[in-house]
Amino acid sequence: MGDNSSQKVIERIFEQLKLAPEAKREILSKLTDPKNVVNFLINRNIIEESKLVDLIANLIRTGRINIEDIDFIEGGIKAAILKRLAKLLNIDFVDLDSTDINTKLASKISLNQLKKFNAIPFKESDISVSVAFADPLDIGAQETLQRFFPKKPIKVAIASKKQIETYLNKLELSENIKEYIQEIRKDLQEGVGDKENIEESSAILKLIEAILKTAILSRASDIHIEPTENSCIVRTRVDGMLTEKFIFDKDIYPPLSSRLKLLANLDIAERRKPQDGRFSGTVLGRDFDFRISTLPIVTGESIVIRILDKTKALIPLEQAGMSKYNFEVFTKALKVPYGIILVTGPTGSGKSTTLYGALNMLRSVEKKIITVEDPVEYQINMVQQAQVNPKIGFTFASALRSILRQDPDIIMVGEIRDQETLRIAVQAALTGHLVLSTLHTNDAVSAINRMVDMGIEPYLVSGALIAIEAQRLVRKICPHCKEEVELDPPLFNEIKDLLPQNYRFFKGKGCKECDFTGYMGREMISEVLRVDDDIARMISKEEPKEKILDAALQKGFKPMIVDGINKAIEGNTTVEEILRVTRL
């Protein structure tokens, strides 16, 4: 449908704009894909955004084009058109993601019918039932759905087709698990007051297995089970982003949480204190470790399960996604015999993976490598790994002191959290050891200020530092549904000064392979600041951050946002992702 409908929309827009034939030809020659026409016209200043939104909404209202003809339009513009159309038709526009959907209403109608009409009932008041339609002009659909609510009139609202499809898919997933839930309810009724019974119920185990399977199939790293006032929500984190997978009724939560606690050898009766545990299991023929953590909250206990895949190997540094330029600067720094190399970024930006990759590259029979971590995540051959244990006073600082008596060549400190640890690390770097560690800062240059702020004298910082690498993780475009796009106007304006002469951008339109997210997997974007003699001199003189950054840029330093935009132009990721992680 896409191409024909986009051609039709282009023709109607051109008619309304009364363009001369040669102007039309010029636009069409530059437009690589007709699906990008709307953003193309705005970004090239051919028409203002508000005028184009008005124009398209009026074309739909007067029947010159159908609402499904604009399915190819996405992002902010699509929402603006639907809002404008809602105003013209005098109905509500609803953003389903920010609406508390009453799922009981949808269960009165068969899923197939809701899918056929692209509609979902979402709330009920004393006088009406609100139903969101992708096409509010489809009178037949409205009449059919009205029959399911004989006592109340339906109130028509408009929502994006994509959102309606997403929610119908969620309802379908929950439908498939219905039989387990009915079994659990039956067990609950039979075993009233008999606590043992419900813990042993096989239905609850089947439900847990279904949740784990769903999460692992969608490549999730964590599962969040959260009780709310009316229900129990299960969310999974895939490529760093949380998505809702299931919504259960509230009565399923107590047996589910008790059974999970039993699996992890936690105290079932203890609901006032946070608890941590772990269990192992084989799911879909692979071995996994599950780390489980509970936290008492107002509505019960929030449970988070971390999925650790035992078969996942260490990622070599060259495959982690560092650009060629940054990789060369970083590996050159790793060859320096002594000094300190810092990897910085927020939690969950892949710092540990980079450090492990660096150690993997450095390890050899000739070198003694010792790490101190909290906790040890991967075990590496030929590397002595120590795990801190604050309960017995074995902290990062005390571990580091002991390590220095072990005659190491290379030391990795999992994280520098306080001045004492940093001071010992700097002293070790100045006395002939190569020290690798992580700091929480937003960019590479800020790490210098952070070290000075933590109480280390600038002349020591300048003598010890070799390089600082800052990084973030961005989601990669799904290769199965990748297509070329024209950027949303607000995005385009934000980055247009950084763009080269020729550029193309891509995105994933969403398919079964990537769970309709358009993304699959993650890779890093980074910046590497090499501290040479000039920059070291500036650090010891306490020059401001801006001056150091200017000096680095003159020497060819590439800031993270530039690295990211290059990756977007290469087609690895989207500009939205780059701005999501680099906007500070």
Side-chain angles (χ1 to χ4, degrees):
M1 192 171 75
D3 283 354
N4 298 345
S5 49
S6 49
Q7 295 290 5
K8 184 170 154 189
V9 173
I10 289 176
E11 280 164 26
R12 298 282 180 273
I13 291 173
F14 284 178
E15 273 170 24
Q16 298 292 312
L17 291 178
K18 301 187 171 56
L19 286 176
E22 52 274 16
K24 263 195 231 176
R25 269 199 300 277
E26 194 190 347
I27 291 172
L28 290 170
S29 68
K30 286 185 187 160
L31 184 62
T32 47
D33 184 341
K35 292 213 256 325
N36 302 327
V37 62
V38 174
N39 291 340
F40 182 88
L41 293 174
I42 297 166
N43 289 344
R44 301 295 185 283
N45 297 323
I46 294 165
I47 180 173
E48 279 174 37
E49 185 175 331
S50 54
K51 284 185 179 155
L52 188 57
V53 167
D54 256 0
L55 190 152
I56 295 173
N58 272 305
L59 285 173
I60 297 169
R61 188 181 65 103
T62 53
R64 311 278 301 285
I65 56 175
N66 298 325
I67 196 160
E68 54 261 27
D69 289 337
I70 65 160
D71 279 350
F72 68 90
I73 301 174
E74 282 183 353
I77 301 275
K78 176 75 169 273
I81 294 169
L82 294 181
K83 278 179 189 160
R84 186 78 195 109
L85 182 61
K87 224 180 191 121
L88 292 171
L89 297 172
N90 205 8
I91 57 173
D92 287 338
F93 167 79
V94 52
D95 174 10
L96 293 176
D97 288 343
S98 53
T99 310
D100 191 8
I101 295 176
N102 182 345
T103 45
K104 287 200 174 81
L105 288 172
S107 58
K108 294 183 180 173
I109 308 169
S110 82
L111 265 174
N112 286 342
Q113 261 183 315
L114 289 175
K115 281 186 165 174
K116 182 178 153 194
F117 297 130
N118 273 319
I120 187 167
F122 61 94
K123 83 169 182 224
E124 184 172 24
S125 69
D126 296 338
I127 49 171
S128 65
V129 173
S130 298
V131 183
F133 287 89
D135 182 358
L137 299 166
D138 185 348
I139 305 298
Q142 293 168 24
E143 285 173 353
T144 310
L145 292 188
Q146 179 66 71
R147 288 187 209 125
F148 291 97
F149 301 103
K151 296 200 175 78
K152 288 182 183 172
I154 64 173
K155 184 177 173 199
V156 176
I158 185 171
S160 91
K161 187 175 174 183
K162 206 171 181 180
Q163 278 191 348
I164 292 175
E165 282 171 352
T166 306
Y167 279 92
L168 291 177
N169 283 336
K170 268 185 210 161
L171 290 174
E172 189 169 28
L173 250 180
S174 300
E175 284 270 301
N176 297 342
I177 285 194
K178 262 211 175 116
E179 53 185 273
Y180 299 151
I181 299 218
Q182 279 155 359
E183 266 183 68
I184 294 167
R185 289 212 173 107
K186 208 169 90 193
D187 291 345
L188 274 171
Q189 281 155 3
E190 286 170 7
V192 178
D194 185 354
K195 205 70 192 279
E196 293 308 305
N197 240 1
I198 184 59
E199 256 71 272
E200 292 308 314
S201 150
S202 64
I204 203 88
L205 274 177
K206 282 184 200 156
L207 180 66
I208 291 173
E209 199 178 338
I211 292 172
L212 295 178
K213 259 190 195 155
T214 307
I216 285 164
L217 279 171
S218 60
R219 315 184 324 281
S221 58
D222 305 82
I223 303 169
H224 295 240
I225 298 170
E226 301 153 337
T228 65
E229 281 295 317
N230 317 311
S231 54
C232 163
I233 293 172
V234 179
R235 298 194 286 170
T236 57
R237 191 182 290 283
V238 180
D239 294 337
M241 301 296 252
L242 279 170
T243 49
E244 243 177 56
K245 277 288 178 205
F246 303 105
I247 302 176
F248 303 131
D249 288 340
K250 183 83 177 190
D251 60 343
I252 299 301
Y253 173 76
L256 180 63
S257 68
S258 299
R259 188 68 199 140
L260 281 168
K261 283 182 171 179
L262 265 183
L263 276 172
N265 288 326
L266 301 179
D267 180 357
I268 293 184
E270 181 57 81
R271 296 203 176 94
R272 300 160 306 166
K273 256 189 354 209
Q275 298 187 67
D276 290 303
R278 60 189 314 151
F279 63 95
S280 298
T282 307
V283 181
L284 302 164
R286 300 212 318 267
D287 288 342
F288 290 91
D289 274 341
F290 300 99
R291 279 213 297 258
I292 189 166
S293 143
T294 71
L295 178 76
I297 55 173
V298 180
T299 46
E301 280 176 295
S302 164
I303 298 175
V304 176
I305 304 168
R306 184 79 191 270
I307 303 171
L308 301 167
D309 186 349
K310 286 183 176 175
T311 56
K312 266 208 184 121
L314 268 180
I315 303 171
L317 203 52
E318 50 272 25
Q319 282 170 26
M322 224 185 247
S323 60
K324 192 164 178 279
Y325 169 80
N326 283 337
F327 180 70
E328 278 168 14
V329 181
F330 190 60
T331 45
K332 207 168 162 188
L334 288 173
K335 294 192 174 90
V336 176
Y338 55 87
I340 192 164
I341 296 176
L342 290 176
V343 175
T344 76
T347 311
S349 58
K351 299 190 293 290
S352 309
T353 310
T354 302
L355 281 179
Y356 278 131
L359 286 183
N360 212 10
M361 210 165 134
L362 292 167
R363 66 185 178 153
S364 73
V365 185
E366 294 95 56
K367 292 194 177 91
K368 172 90 168 180
I369 303 180
I370 309 181
T371 75
V372 47
E373 305 168 57
D374 175 22
V376 172
E377 282 183 31
Y378 284 106
Q379 293 183 7
I380 317 174
N381 273 344
M382 291 191 292
V383 176
Q384 319 304 314
Q385 292 167 283
Q387 185 159 318
V388 295
N389 185 349
K391 281 184 192 156
I392 56 167
F394 189 54
T395 60
F396 275 117
S398 63
L400 251 179
R401 276 199 201 91
S402 316
I403 284 175
L404 289 171
R405 295 197 280 277
Q406 290 264 318
D407 181 33
D409 297 293
I410 298 167
I411 303 166
M412 176 185 111
V413 187
E415 195 180 339
I416 292 177
R417 294 177 188 165
D418 52 42
Q419 188 196 357
E420 193 185 358
T421 313
L422 180 58
R423 191 165 285 283
I424 305 165
V426 169
Q427 294 295 354
L430 290 167
T431 53
H433 303 87
L434 180 62
V435 182
L436 308 177
S437 188
T438 68
L439 259 186
H440 287 278
T441 61
N442 283 332
D443 53 51
V445 183
S446 308
I448 298 167
N449 290 19
R450 175 64 55 86
M451 289 172 81
V452 175
D453 290 346
M454 282 171 86
I456 305 296
E457 295 77 2
Y459 70 90
L460 290 178
V461 174
S462 72
L465 262 182
I466 308 169
I468 307 161
E469 188 251 9
Q471 66 180 66
R472 299 282 187 283
L473 286 179
V474 291
R475 295 180 293 165
K476 290 197 292 194
I477 297 174
C478 166
H480 304 279
C481 58
K482 181 168 158 180
E483 57 179 19
E484 197 175 327
V485 289
E486 182 75 29
L487 292 185
D488 258 8
L491 278 184
F492 180 76
N493 292 331
E494 208 165 320
I495 63 157
K496 61 182 178 201
D497 304 338
L498 298 167
L499 294 177
Q501 203 61 48
N502 295 320
Y503 58 86
R504 293 161 65 190
F505 290 112
F506 301 85
K507 71 179 288 185
K509 80 169 178 266
C511 63
K512 264 208 159 75
E513 301 287 332
C514 59
D515 214 0
F516 299 96
T517 55
Y519 295 102
M520 192 183 249
R522 290 193 289 178
E523 72 173 27
M524 69 154 96
I525 57 169
S526 56
E527 57 185 30
V528 184
L529 176 70
R530 185 73 206 271
V531 180
D532 59 10
D533 294 347
D534 295 340
I535 289 178
R537 216 169 291 123
M538 295 174 85
I539 296 172
S540 58
K541 281 189 190 158
E542 295 189 61
E543 297 270 16
K545 181 178 154 180
E546 292 71 29
K547 268 199 167 165
I548 295 176
L549 183 60
D550 284 345
L553 288 168
Q554 279 166 11
K555 292 170 186 286
F557 170 72
K558 286 195 172 74
M560 199 169 351
I561 189 155
V562 173
D563 187 39
I565 286 169
N566 288 341
K567 288 224 154 129
I569 291 171
E570 283 164 17
N572 295 345
T573 184
T574 62
V575 175
E576 286 93 336
E577 273 295 289
I578 301 301
L579 292 178
R580 176 176 73 80
V581 300
T582 56
R583 265 193 197 123
L584 303 176

